[in-house]
Amino acid sequence: MAVERLRDVRPAHGEQPLLNHSLPSEVPPAPPGDQVRRPARIMDDIAERLFGRRRTMRRDEVARLAHIELPLAQRLWRALGFQNVRADDTAFSETDLEALRHASGLLGHHQMDEETLVALARGIGVTTERMATWQAEIFIASIQEARRQGHSPQQSDLLGHGQGAETVSDRLTPGAVAASGAAIADLADDLEAVIGYAWRRHLAAALATLFADATSEEITEGVTRSVGFADMVSFTERVAHASDRDVARLVTRFEELAADVIARHGGRVVKTIGDEVLYQANDPRSALLIAHDLVHGAAGDRLLPPLRAGVATGRVLLRLGDVYGATVNRASRLTDRAPAGQILCDAATAEPLRENQAWRFVEGADAVLRGVGTVTPFHLVSVPPGASTRAPRPAWSDQ
């Protein structure tokens, strides 16, 4: 079954609207006697379990009670990634009011102005939307896998009765999403605690890195970082005739490998884009070890195709979690030039390590890289014994 188109649901004033004001378009009609509750009401019940409060306020009311101007409240709402709410929609609860009061309370503290607050809200919205979608998909996929393995008849009931489905979207029905949502709501408090913990740990690490940058003697714009790309070779051809489920397994496996290896060497995932990951590290050694373990980790996994990687070191601009500049472009072009299963880096990455003979490089001929200019590529041949921290080959690598 194809992914169902979403339509807008416009509840009358006084009704509790859906979280996103949308429902699958192919919702079966309720049987005579309304023995089955309306899908909108089911989703509202789940939202109420997540928030713990019923929705009783319109947008002007929640802004007034939070002592914040309505235009700013609307900017924050949109920055968080939520759809516009009509003036007469009863869309907000006491939970929304408390959050808006917290946001309003930030203004004026530590030189926090409206533009800074909106920028912070935008970052929160982008990351939490992706995280929430990711978590929901993982949960439903785990239930599907349990059904395929025949482990849990109770969980199987969440997925409908179709046979031979391949992906989450193949089998989604309003009932499946409702049942899964109810189960996720039971886990929300524990998940929220873990999310808060992880955020504080990452915030402390980010501040420590920025402090190191601030105490550096370098005075030019930006900061020095080693940046790396790694991508799956011939990904397009590999997935051209694969099922959606196989493509999802492949991408998930790649993201798992990248996240694990990059974290173990103290790097940071900047972003993943399908068949490619962009990461940064504080020094050339860490960046090359990440590239090494990624390439060799994929080589030992029967599900993954060969990887290739490129690493460059130099000044970069950091903005809202992303990295920019000529160093990033250089790493990208080196990746494009690298053969399958190999790692190329620039001189700024290789030179600090060549003094240690355990690091082996082969210097290549100068190459003109598109949009970058002339670069001398270095092929990483080997790393010092014991430097790699590649995890043992997972038991699922043969699956």
Side-chain angles (χ1 to χ4, degrees), residues 101-388:
R101 281 174 172 164
H102 283 300
S104 176
L106 293 172
L107 290 172
H109 291 281
H110 299 287
Q111 300 181 331
M112 176 79 72
D113 58 15
E114 291 186 6
E115 294 305 316
T116 302
L117 182 60
V118 170
L120 287 173
R122 187 176 299 113
I124 293 169
V126 169
T127 54
T128 53
E129 188 278 334
R130 184 169 187 257
M131 177 175 60
T133 302
W134 195 343
Q135 290 171 343
E137 290 174 351
I138 288 174
F139 190 85
I140 294 175
S142 69
I143 294 176
Q144 289 177 313
E145 186 61 28
R147 182 180 187 272
R148 279 189 289 268
Q149 300 295 330
H151 292 161
S152 175
Q154 291 80 10
Q155 290 179 333
S156 299
D157 293 339
L158 303 180
L159 301 172
H161 305 288
Q163 299 296 323
E166 295 290 337
T167 66
V168 170
S169 61
D170 288 330
R171 307 169 85 164
L172 276 184
T173 65
V177 176
S180 298
I184 292 172
D186 288 339
L187 305 175
D189 288 345
D190 288 334
L191 284 173
E192 186 176 28
V194 175
I195 291 166
Y197 159 78
W199 171 74
R200 289 177 182 272
R201 295 285 297 190
H202 283 302
L203 182 60
L207 290 171
T209 299
L210 291 173
F211 182 79
D213 293 333
T215 56
S216 170
E217 295 181 356
E218 297 176 296
I219 59 175
T220 56
E221 185 178 16
V223 296
T224 298
R225 290 288 188 274
S226 292
V227 177
F229 284 89
D231 67 20
M232 292 185 275
V233 178
S234 302
F235 176 78
T236 302
E237 293 82 355
R238 186 182 180 96
V239 303
H241 303 291
S243 67
D244 289 346
R245 182 181 176 223
D246 287 341
V247 173
R249 289 181 64 209
L250 176 62
V251 172
T252 299
R253 183 73 60 81
F254 174 63
E255 291 182 345
E256 289 174 347
L257 174 67
D260 178 64
V261 168
I262 293 169
R264 280 191 280 116
H265 288 292
R268 183 178 73 85
V269 176
V270 177
K271 56 189 171 185
T272 55
I273 310 174
D275 63 335
E276 183 176 64
V277 62
L278 166 61
Y279 66 90
Q280 69 174 50
N282 290 337
D283 56 83
R285 181 182 185 277
S286 298
L288 283 177
L289 288 175
I290 289 170
H292 174 272
D293 285 4
L294 285 174
V295 169
H296 287 266
D301 190 317
R302 292 178 59 184
L303 179 61
L304 291 173
L307 301 187
R308 59 183 180 180
V311 179
T313 298
R315 306 297 291 178
V316 299
L317 295 177
L318 306 178
R319 175 64 178 166
L320 300 179
D322 211 337
V323 291
Y324 304 91
T327 302
V328 180
N329 296 336
R330 193 160 62 251
S332 176
R333 297 294 179 236
L334 286 167
T335 305
D336 293 340
R337 190 177 181 83
Q342 296 190 20
I343 301 160
L344 293 181
C345 67
D346 62 359
T349 304
E351 290 297 342
L353 302 171
R354 296 179 76 186
E355 298 177 1
N356 182 347
Q357 294 184 354
W359 286 90
R360 294 181 56 210
F361 298 89
V362 173
E363 182 175 346
D366 289 353
V368 178
L369 305 182
R370 180 169 56 90
V372 174
T374 302
V375 174
T376 302
F378 288 78
H379 169 217
L380 177 64
V381 177
S382 64
V383 302
S388 170

